């Protein structure tokens, strides 16, 4: 462990020096990449520095045990430091778990109404509101890139970006099928219905993550549809991008400017292609997916929102909370922390 910590400390110091290099300062992408790497090592380096200080103090205090006048004070201080050292070693063990290189990234999230018709679309809208509230509590910024409203409310599909600190690390386990059990507003008999909406979370691709060959992209300009302001709906500002080799289509229409819609669309297309590349890498690693909480596939049922019982259950970790009303207001911390804790446990066990 000490050897690994020393290597991390050395790398941290190297990055700190590199960031002072004038050539790096003028290279935005390089500087951003190094800054993200440095930030990811910071907590580990702080813990290592504290461990060194504790060991140094313990050496001095052990020497004091032979002094009759100071031994009782030294024993008490040694006990306190040993207790802190034990806590610190547990913290370091978690910090040394191999990190997901995407944890610090922003995300593109997509929510779709699935089984259940109008009620599924309404539930998709409820999920979007839930994540919006959660983003607000974390001081993250949400920006809708494309949406298709349901005929009775909600969305048949909504796509948006979430930007802020460590967004992917908190929301990466949200991909999958979300199930709702409740009495729909349109139900006259008072019967509980079950509907589903699917969520897809993708780490946003950086410039150095994925290089897009524009010769493989067809760009079509169309008239915007749906909400977005009168000016948007009456101009040919919407952009449809088709990646010819994969058939992936991205539609961007929320900006008045054709150029801005194109920029947003390209970012989403890069993210989709990057996400496809990540999935392929995981599949090639074979059992690597089994170390994760769920596969992240849209078809996997991950969570049930039971309104009659005011209960939310995450099926992957068999975890339930009896405060659905608060969860739908964006109070997701308890569920997300439980998922992160279980993920860390699995990685520590090597499963």
């Amino acid at each position: 462990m000490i050897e690994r910590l020393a290597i991390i400390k050395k790398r941290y110091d190297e990055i700190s020096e590199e960031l002072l290099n004038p050539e790096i300062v003028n290279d935005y992408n390089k500087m951003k990449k190094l800054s993200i790497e440095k930030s990811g090592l910071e907590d580990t380096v702080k813990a290592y520095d504290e461990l060194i200080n504790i060991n140094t103090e313990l050496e001095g205090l052990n020497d004091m045990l032979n002094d009759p006048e100071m031994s009782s004070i030294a024993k008490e201080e040694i006990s306190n430091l040993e207790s802190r050292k034990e806590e610190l070693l547990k913290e370091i063990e978690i910090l040394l778990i191999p990190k997901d290189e995407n944890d610090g990234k922003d995300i593109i999230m997509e929510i779709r109404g699935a089984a259940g018709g109008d009620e599924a679309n309404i539930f998709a809208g409820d999920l979007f509101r839930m994540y919006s509230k959660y983003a607000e509590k974390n001081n993250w910024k949400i920006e809708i890139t494309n949406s298709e409203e349901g005929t009775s409310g909600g969305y048949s599909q909504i796509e948006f970006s979430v930007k802020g600190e460590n967004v992917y690390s908190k929301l990466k386990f949200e991909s999958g099928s979300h199930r709702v059990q409740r009495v729909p507003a349109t139900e006259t008999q008072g019967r509980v219905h079950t509907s589903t909406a699917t969520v897809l979370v993708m780490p946003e691709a950086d410039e150095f993550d994925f290089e897009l060959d524009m010769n493989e992209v067809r760009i079509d300009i169309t008239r915007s549809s749906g909400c977005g302001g009168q000016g948007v709906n009456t101009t040919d500002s919407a952009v449809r991008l088709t990646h010819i080799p994969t058939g992936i289509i991205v539609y961007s229409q929320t900006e008045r400017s054709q150029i801005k819609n194109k920029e947003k669309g390209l970012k989403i297309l890069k993210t989709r292609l990057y996400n496809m590349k990540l999935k392929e890498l995981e599949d090639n690693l074979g059992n690597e997916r089994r170390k994760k909480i769920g596969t992240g596939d849209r078809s996997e049922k991950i969570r049930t929102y039971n309104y009659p019982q005011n209960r939310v259950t995450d099926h992957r970790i068999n975890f339930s909370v009896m405060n659905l009303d608060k969860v739908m207001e964006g109070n997701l911390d308890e569920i997300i922390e439980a998922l992160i804790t279980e993920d860390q446990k699995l990685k520590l066990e090597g499963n």
Side-chain angles (χ1 to χ4, degrees):
M1 178 186 283
I2 297 298
E3 287 179 5
R4 287 178 67 191
L5 289 169
I7 291 168
I8 290 169
K9 169 73 170 171
K10 183 182 177 184
R11 177 58 185 157
Y12 181 85
D13 292 339
E14 286 173 354
I15 295 170
S16 298
E17 282 187 32
E18 278 190 80
L19 287 171
L20 295 174
N21 186 332
E23 292 181 10
I24 297 295
V25 173
N26 294 325
D27 186 340
Y28 172 76
N29 285 337
K30 181 72 172 174
M31 188 173 73
K32 184 181 177 183
K33 192 172 185 179
L34 287 172
S35 297
I36 290 171
E37 186 182 354
K38 182 183 177 184
S39 177
L41 300 175
E42 213 151 60
D43 288 343
T44 308
V45 170
K46 283 180 182 176
Y48 178 47
D49 287 341
E50 185 181 351
L51 183 62
I52 290 173
N53 290 335
I54 287 175
N55 286 336
T56 302
E57 286 186 55
L58 285 172
E59 285 180 19
L61 288 165
N62 282 321
D63 291 339
M64 290 169 60
L65 290 174
N66 297 321
D67 185 335
E69 294 182 4
M70 301 297 293
S71 63
S72 61
I73 298 173
K75 283 179 183 176
E76 184 179 351
E77 191 59 27
I78 286 172
S79 177
N80 291 335
L81 285 173
E82 288 287 4
S83 178
R84 173 55 189 152
K85 182 178 178 179
E86 191 175 332
E87 291 175 4
L88 190 60
L89 288 171
K90 289 178 181 176
E91 291 173 17
I92 289 172
E93 192 176 34
I94 291 172
L95 287 167
L96 288 177
I97 293 172
K99 288 184 173 58
D100 187 331
E101 63 179 15
N102 293 309
D103 273 352
K105 291 185 177 179
D106 299 330
I107 66 165
I108 301 290
M109 183 181 271
E110 183 186 279
I111 304 173
R112 291 175 181 261
D118 288 343
E119 171 65 5
N121 293 340
I122 292 168
F123 179 49
D126 293 339
L127 288 177
F128 172 65
R129 181 178 178 276
M130 178 186 77
Y131 289 123
S132 298
K133 291 277 189 181
Y134 182 66
E136 188 179 330
K137 291 177 191 296
N138 284 279
N139 296 314
W140 297 339
K141 181 184 176 185
I142 279 187
E143 188 175 5
I144 297 173
T145 50
N146 187 38
S147 66
E148 295 175 18
E149 294 186 359
T151 54
S152 299
Y155 299 96
S156 60
Q157 176 182 345
I158 183 165
E159 194 171 69
F160 53 98
S161 63
V162 187
K163 299 181 182 295
E165 188 175 348
N166 296 320
V167 177
Y168 185 71
S169 69
K170 296 284 184 73
L171 294 178
K172 63 182 175 182
F173 299 122
E174 296 303 298
S175 286
S177 178
H178 295 239
R179 182 174 69 173
V180 63
Q181 294 174 326
R182 64 185 177 190
V183 179
T186 54
E187 170 58 51
T188 57
Q189 304 293 322
R191 292 172 299 187
V192 173
H193 287 226
T194 298
S195 304
T196 60
T198 59
V199 174
L200 178 64
V201 176
M202 298 174 286
E204 192 172 276
D206 291 323
E207 293 299 321
F208 36 79
D209 282 331
F210 194 90
E211 189 173 340
L212 182 63
D213 184 353
M214 290 304 296
N215 291 321
E216 296 180 341
V217 180
R218 187 175 74 242
I219 302 173
D220 298 306
I221 309 302
T222 64
R223 181 154 295 187
S224 298
S225 61
C227 294
Q230 189 176 355
V232 172
N233 292 325
T234 57
T235 59
D236 291 335
S237 58
V239 175
R240 184 175 62 237
L241 303 173
T242 305
H243 187 245
I244 298 166
T246 62
I248 292 174
I249 297 173
V250 169
Y251 193 66
S252 179
Q253 64 168 350
T254 55
E255 299 289 342
R256 292 175 182 272
S257 163
Q258 191 182 110
I259 294 172
K260 287 183 178 178
N261 278 326
K262 180 183 173 185
E263 287 175 359
K264 279 188 179 181
L266 285 172
K267 179 159 280 191
I268 295 167
L269 180 57
K270 285 180 183 178
T271 295
R272 287 191 177 280
L273 291 168
Y274 177 56
N275 190 60
M276 183 181 287
K277 185 175 78 172
L278 291 177
K279 296 285 187 192
E280 287 173 359
L281 286 172
E282 283 181 359
D283 289 341
N284 290 335
L285 287 172
N287 69 344
E288 192 65 24
R289 273 180 169 241
R290 290 193 287 274
K291 295 180 185 178
K292 298 171 67 177
I293 295 177
T295 62
D297 289 337
R298 198 191 282 275
S299 59
E300 181 190 14
K301 185 183 74 176
I302 64 167
R303 196 175 295 154
T304 294
Y305 303 74
N306 186 301
Y307 276 72
Q309 297 177 14
N310 198 35
R311 171 176 55 82
V312 182
T313 298
D314 195 290
H315 304 289
R316 296 163 295 180
I317 57 174
N318 196 27
F319 179 81
S320 294
V321 292
M322 306 303 292
N323 59 351
L324 172 81
D325 51 340
K326 292 180 180 177
V327 169
M328 298 311 291
E329 289 299 315
N331 294 296
L332 282 163
D333 284 326
E334 191 176 358
I335 297 171
I336 286 172
E337 288 303 321
L339 288 162
I340 291 172
T341 300
E342 183 64 20
D343 182 58
Q344 290 173 344
K345 179 186 168 189
L346 288 173
K347 285 177 179 172
L348 283 170
E349 292 172 351
N351 292 330

